[in-house]
Amino acid sequence: MTLDVSLESAMRRLKQHVYKNRIRVKEFLMDFDKLNSGYVFPNHFLSALSMAGIDRYLSAKELELICETYKVQRDATLVMVDTRSFLHEVELVFTIPHLEKDPLVDVPSEPSELLDKTRYFKSSRILPDPQDETTVIALLERLSETTLKRGQPVKAFFDDAAQDDHSAKLFGHVTVPQFRQVLTTKLDWVISDPEVALLVAKFRHEDKPEFVNYIAFSCTVDPPER
């Protein structure tokens, strides 16, 4: 099933990627705009985004939609992409334009609309396969019942693993092998490898899939505090 793509969602995802990875898209576009005209050919626009690595995060359909949105008719036969307008929108994630004219303006510390403030308390990811999503939800309910019956919150076990001298020290995360070891050895849960794989897929780090967000997992299965 092909999901509908909107300009709003495509630009939001592009901004998220640009902001999180500190990508200066302008530098890639300038390779195709030596005269600094503010316009490039559509194929050069897509090539610049590919050089910036954005095509590994956005789909071809999303990139085409963005390209189409910023196309302008330069003359009767020439269609180009307005890179100035595009960059003005994208680089708002880094700064406020014309800030030098009003230095007292209140500048937010970060573009909060691009960051999920609840990312350490839940997983908002929905697995691509509906059957996998249904299975993992049932699995989480089963594990939550287990922790409730045992009266044994799991977060402390993951905290210990994260503080290990050989841990990668990524806040709120453990490696996939550490995650599996806590579940099967420290907690002694009866859980299969395919079930562990589903949990990893549900709670993995967005940009570093070798890490699992154990805080979000713990908040899902640990008994609520009284």
Side-chain angles (χ1 to χ4, degrees):
M1 180 178 66
T2 302
L3 297 177
D4 291 334
V5 174
S6 70
L7 176 64
E8 181 182 2
S9 66
M11 287 299 294
R12 183 176 65 252
R13 281 166 47 76
L14 184 144
K15 289 179 183 179
Q16 286 175 331
H17 185 63
V18 165
Y19 178 75
K20 289 168 63 176
N21 295 283
R22 315 304 291 178
I23 298 172
R24 292 295 183 181
V25 183
K26 182 178 181 180
E27 296 177 5
F28 296 92
L29 288 168
M30 285 177 62
D31 288 342
F32 298 100
D33 185 16
K34 300 298 185 183
L35 298 179
N36 195 28
S37 67
Y39 299 93
V40 297
F41 292 108
N43 62 318
H44 288 167
F45 178 78
L46 294 173
S47 294
L49 296 188
S50 177
M51 290 165 56
I54 294 173
D55 61 340
R56 294 194 296 271
Y57 186 70
L58 270 68
S59 68
K61 188 173 181 179
E62 289 174 313
L63 294 175
E64 285 289 349
L65 177 58
I66 293 171
C67 183
E68 286 294 325
T69 299
Y70 288 94
K71 280 183 180 179
V72 292
Q73 195 81 35
R74 295 280 284 160
D75 60 34
T77 60
L78 182 62
V79 175
M80 301 189 79
V81 176
D82 180 355
T83 57
R84 284 204 179 99
S85 296
F86 169 73
L87 289 171
H88 173 78
E89 178 64 26
V90 170
E91 297 198 345
L92 288 177
V93 300
F94 293 117
T95 187
I96 295 178
H98 311 304
L99 186 61
E100 70 280 1
K101 297 180 181 179
D102 189 3
L104 299 182
V105 68
D106 185 23
V107 180
S109 59
E110 60 185 22
S112 58
E113 71 279 3
L114 300 183
L115 300 177
D116 181 4
K117 296 298 186 179
T118 65
R119 62 192 181 279
Y120 288 119
F121 303 106
K122 65 179 179 63
S123 172
S124 57
R125 180 179 297 112
I126 298 177
L127 300 184
D129 187 329
Q131 183 58 51
D132 285 345
E133 179 67 15
T134 300
T135 301
V136 79
I137 292 300
L139 174 59
L140 289 168
E141 291 176 355
R142 190 188 91 204
L143 298 179
S144 182
E145 290 177 2
T146 300
T147 59
L148 182 61
K149 289 177 181 177
R150 291 185 181 183
Q152 183 184 49
V154 304
K155 182 176 178 295
F157 293 91
F158 288 108
D159 285 337
D160 288 342
Q163 292 168 9
D164 184 90
D165 290 339
H166 300 292
S167 176
K169 300 295 190 298
L170 180 63
F171 177 76
H173 292 74
V174 291
T175 64
V176 172
Q178 285 177 319
F179 184 72
R180 180 182 292 106
Q181 183 183 37
V182 171
L183 294 181
T184 59
T185 304
K186 303 296 184 182
L187 292 169
D188 195 26
W189 280 352
V190 178
I191 185 169
S192 66
D193 285 343
E195 289 175 328
V196 172
L198 283 176
L199 293 174
V200 168
K202 184 73 171 174
F203 292 95
R204 65 174 173 78
H205 191 284
E206 181 178 353
D207 300 315
K208 300 177 180 179
E210 67 272 23
F211 291 99
V212 180
N213 183 343
Y214 75 81
I215 294 182
F217 172 73
S218 300
C219 287
T220 303
V221 302
D222 275 348
E225 294 183 2
R226 296 187 184 280

